[in-house]
């Protein structure tokens, strides 16, 4: 097709997609082209802005390393991660769900732990935390044998992959639910923390005059054959950034209750799994930060 007008470009690109054999791939790419071209036309993007945008996209890849996933961090800062989560869980977004963002700090291969074990693999000063959780079907029936990955930041707000002073896989573990669907562990209470701002995500936040804080939380990834895999986060209700999470992850269903006791804090929480596909997501990171 010979291009005569700006609108012809969109028609020409869509016209070349008819060979796409996979219907879903064709649907997604066609929609992407229509929305992307519509965005350029609506904003009347200048050539200089286009060059800057290409540089920004390149910087996302350049900033990504085995211990840091800038694309995942940026998708959270734009609210995309949680939007994808919510439309795919809770009966396709029609009811509350315990599902939440996977986040940029999940690592595969966390050590297998006995029920009640500690997640501490190196000295980690901070308030003690005991956790007991349950995994259940939607009707409340306990789910035994579910695999649960757990990870969280330290009391100074760093995940072990970011912190060379923490042992490998510190504050990470993998559990299997018991006959009553329960699992438990000991750890330290995580702190809220600033997301990294030395890359494209930081530039976005500064341009919008937004803070870069996340409220304190614990991460969970739960899977069992026959049930839809969920990633989840349980948030501290007393964190000052609960309502202004820079990653837009806090939902009402995920606010926990950190009870104070003589030895520290105790948290209990129940996760409900929907019937569906069991799968494990690709880990956003694979290694600790190098010296």
């Amino acid at each position: 097709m010979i291009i005569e007008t700006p609108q012809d470009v969109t028609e020409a690109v869509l016209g070349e997609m008819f060979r796409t054999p996979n219907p879903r791939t064709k649907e997604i790419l066609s929609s992407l082209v229509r929305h992307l071209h519509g965005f350029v036309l609506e904003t009347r993007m200048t050539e200089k802005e286009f060059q800057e945008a290409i540089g920004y996209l390149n910087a996302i890849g350049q900033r990504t390393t085995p211990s840091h996933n800038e694309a995942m961090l940026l998708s959270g800062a734009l609210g995309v991660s949680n939007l994808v989560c919510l439309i795919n869980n809770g009966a396709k977004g029609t009811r509350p769900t315990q599902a939440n963002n996977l986040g940029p700090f999940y690592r595969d291969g966390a050590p297998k732990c006995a029920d009640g074990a500690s997640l501490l693999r190196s000295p980690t000063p901070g308030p003690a935390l005991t956790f007991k959780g349950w995994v259940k079907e939607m009707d409340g029936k306990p789910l035994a044998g579910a695999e649960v990955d757990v990870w969280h930041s330290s009391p100074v707000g760093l995940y072990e992959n970011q912190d060379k002073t923490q042992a490998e896989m510190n504050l990470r573990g993998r559990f299997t639910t018991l006959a009553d669907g329960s699992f438990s562990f000991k750890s330290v209470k995580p702190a809220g923390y600033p997301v990294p701002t030395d890359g494209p995500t930081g530039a976005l936040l500064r341009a919008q005059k937004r803070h870069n804080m996340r409220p304190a939380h614990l991460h969970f990834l739960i899977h069992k054959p026959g049930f839809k895999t969920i990633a989840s986060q349980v948030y501290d209700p007393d964190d000052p950034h609960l309502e202004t999470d820079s990653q837009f992850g806090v939902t009402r269903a995920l606010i926990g209750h950190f009870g104070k006791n003589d030895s520290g804090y105790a948290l209990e929480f129940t996760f409900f799994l929907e019937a569906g596909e069991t799968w494990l997501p690709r880990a956003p990171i694979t290694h600790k930060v190098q010296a």
Side-chain angles (χ1 to χ4, degrees), residues 161-183:
N161 63 287
Q162 301 173 296
D163 185 1
K164 290 175 284 187
T165 69
Q166 293 186 50
E168 183 80 8
M169 292 291 180
N170 190 44
L171 307 182
R172 299 179 186 267
R174 184 161 46 95
F175 298 83
T176 303
T177 57
L178 304 179
D180 64 350
S182 70
F183 67 101

Side-chain angles (χ1 to χ4, degrees), residues 75-144:
S75 67
L78 290 170
V80 175
S81 298
N82 203 30
L83 184 58
V84 170
C85 169
L86 292 177
I87 66 173
N88 283 282
N89 294 280
K92 301 296 182 181
T94 62
R95 63 178 179 230
T97 175
Q98 282 74 39
N100 202 221
N101 305 343
L102 178 68
F105 298 115
Y106 165 62
R107 288 184 68 186
D108 192 15
K112 180 68 176 175
C113 300
D115 192 62
S118 172
L119 299 184
L120 274 65
R121 310 186 192 288
S122 58
T124 312
L129 173 69
T130 58
F131 178 90
K132 184 163 187 178
W134 289 265
V135 179
K136 298 183 178 182
E137 297 186 41
M138 297 305 296
D139 62 2
K141 180 181 177 182
L143 273 176

Side-chain angles (χ1 to χ4, degrees), residues 10 43 104 165 232 247 252 277:
T10 306
T43 60
T165 69
S232 189
Q247 295 278 294
R252 190 75 56 191
E277 181 183 6

Side-chain angles (χ1 to χ4, degrees), residues 32 127 146:
L32 173 65

Side-chain angles (χ1 to χ4, degrees), residues 167-248:
E168 183 80 8
M169 292 291 180
N170 190 44
L171 307 182
R172 299 179 186 267
R174 184 161 46 95
F175 298 83
T176 303
T177 57
L178 304 179
D180 64 350
S182 70
F183 67 101
S184 62
F185 59 85
K186 299 179 181 68
S187 192
V188 288
K189 188 173 184 286
Y193 56 86
V195 300
T197 59
D198 55 349
T201 302
L204 172 76
L205 296 176
R206 287 189 292 274
Q208 298 175 325
K209 296 191 181 298
R210 289 167 52 189
H211 72 70
N212 64 324
M213 295 300 296
R214 290 225 67 207
H217 57 276
L218 294 92
H219 290 268
F220 303 85
L221 179 66
I222 307 172
H223 61 98
K224 179 179 171 64
F227 295 88
K228 190 177 187 306
T229 301
I230 67 167
S232 189
Q233 299 182 41
V234 180
Y235 294 91
D236 183 348
D238 296 324
D239 192 286
H241 298 102
L242 192 71
E243 296 193 15
T244 58
D245 177 14
S246 65
Q247 295 278 294
F248 302 104

